[in-house]
Amino acid sequence: MNLKRRQFLFLSSLSTIGAGFLGWMLVRQNNQSADITDSTTAIAANPPKKDLLLRFVSVADTGTGAKGQYAVAGAMNAYHKQNPYDLVVLAGDNIYNNGEIEKIGEVFERPYKALLKQGVKFQACLGNHDIRTANGEPQVKYAGFNMKGRYYTFRRATVQFFALDTNSNADWKNQLTWLEKELSLSNAPWKVVFGHHPIYSSGQYGSNPDFIKTFTPLFQKYGVQLYINGHEHNYERTRAINGTTYLICGAGAGNRPVGRSGWTEYSTSDLSFASYEVYKDRIEISAIATNNRVFDFCKLHTRDFQS
């Protein structure tokens, strides 16, 4: 082989190696700068659990479009890859600071892009920030929030959900009449109510005596096992109070300090969301932080409810 031929082959080899190395570097850089919601890293899903009827998650006080929201959204996405779900209960303050629907891409569609692409359905209610613009009507009409009205009900498997408008300007007379009627008609084994404001809380705002007086007798009478809310930017789970567990999941984008009360089972200010796995005889609740670790776990049993 002559000298020119050997030089050509040698230079061609260097060119191929260089192109491969350059391609690897570009892929590496792109992966490093990728938005967390666009991650396609393969995570093997856990095998289906025997007798599992429904899995859903809840989160609240999310609509900032800032780092904290993306951190929780990333954890929700990672959890979905291992434990698929298709329902998110979104418990208010969906758009900060004033419920401006023009921010919907920034504070909802982009942070939850990966989940929305997978067909995950968000069911929202209105928070106090959401009603600052047009009394929240643009959010009620926004298809991505799947609201049938300012208060509404829907059913998934053996669970019936009741979404409330807990704001001070809500149509309380008609809403409470509606709630009692719908609860009385429900034959669902599991009844879950959600709204934005707390009933029991050890956070900044504390418990709401009027809500305790209004809601707890209804919950006890009709067997509501779980109430989910936000407003407090923390996580707190109560023991079962007359059969109902009260769970705050308002650390979906930001956090504030939280204390403890006599009925508190667990509380923390860590950014987080909650997951619920529904079986015939129990609901298993897991609280999950942005490091993907479960920091609180409990089981609600149908037999725990005593009317």
Side-chain angles (χ1 to χ4, degrees), residues 190-267:
W190 295 101
K191 299 178 183 68
V192 176
V193 178
F194 67 97
H196 181 63
H197 294 83
I199 298 177
Y200 289 94
S201 169
S202 307
Q204 175 176 310
Y205 299 104
S207 299
N208 187 320
D210 291 335
F211 279 11
I212 292 173
K213 183 179 179 180
T214 300
F215 287 115
T216 58
L218 282 177
F219 292 174
Q220 185 174 7
K221 182 177 180 179
Y222 296 107
V224 173
Q225 295 98 340
L226 181 64
Y227 177 77
I228 300 169
N229 68 275
H231 196 52
E232 300 281 20
H233 295 185
N234 55 251
Y235 171 89
E236 184 174 17
R237 175 176 61 85
T238 75
R239 61 172 171 79
I241 302 173
N242 294 324
T244 306
T245 295
Y246 297 82
L247 191 142
I248 298 172
C249 57
N255 51 6
R256 286 194 293 253
V258 59
R260 290 183 62 86
S261 302
W263 30 256
T264 303
E265 287 289 338
Y266 197 101
S267 64

Side-chain angles (χ1 to χ4, degrees), residues 22-42:
L22 179 60
W24 175 80
M25 285 298 293
L26 287 173
V27 169
R28 183 171 182 268
Q29 290 172 357
N30 287 338
N31 285 341
Q32 288 176 334
S33 63
D35 186 303
I36 192 168
T37 61
D38 290 328
S39 172
T40 56
T41 304

Side-chain angles (χ1 to χ4, degrees), residues 165-184:
D165 176 4
T166 58
N167 287 293
S168 59
N169 69 343
D171 181 4
W172 282 106
K173 181 179 178 180
N174 288 324
Q175 180 174 211
L176 290 174
T177 300
W178 167 88
L179 178 61
E180 180 156 22
K181 179 182 177 182
E182 292 296 329
L183 286 171
S184 69

Side-chain angles (χ1 to χ4, degrees), residues 4 7 21 25 34 45 68 73 104-105 109 117 125 137 149 151 158 160-161 185 196 208 266 269 271 280:
K4 289 184 178 181
Q7 288 175 333
F21 177 77
M25 285 298 293
I104 196 69
E109 293 172 352
K117 285 174 65 177
C125 67
E137 281 302 314
Y151 48 90
T158 58
Q160 186 162 356
F161 295 86
L185 293 174
H196 181 63
N208 187 320
Y266 197 101
S269 60
L271 293 173
K280 181 179 180 180

Side-chain angles (χ1 to χ4, degrees), residues 54-63 72 76 85-94 108 112 115-116 120-126 130 144-147 152-156 159-164 191-197 226-231 247-252 272-276 278 283:
L54 174 69
R55 180 185 290 121
F56 68 97
V57 307
S58 71
V59 69
D61 301 85
T62 55
V72 177
M76 291 168 63
Y85 57 87
D86 63 0
L87 172 63
V88 177
V89 168
L90 191 61
D93 280 0
N94 313 309
F108 177 72
Y112 305 115
L115 294 175
L116 293 168
V120 176
K121 190 173 184 178
F122 287 70
Q123 298 274 175
C125 67
L126 294 172
D130 299 319
F145 286 162
N146 296 290
M147 298 174 67
Y152 63 99
T153 184
F154 64 98
R155 182 161 173 166
R156 290 287 196 96
V159 184
Q160 186 162 356
F161 295 86
F162 304 83
L164 301 181
K191 299 178 183 68
V192 176
V193 178
F194 67 97
H196 181 63
H197 294 83
L226 181 64
Y227 177 77
I228 300 169
N229 68 275
H231 196 52
L247 191 142
I248 298 172
C249 57
S272 56
F273 69 98
S275 168
Y276 311 80
V278 182
I283 295 180

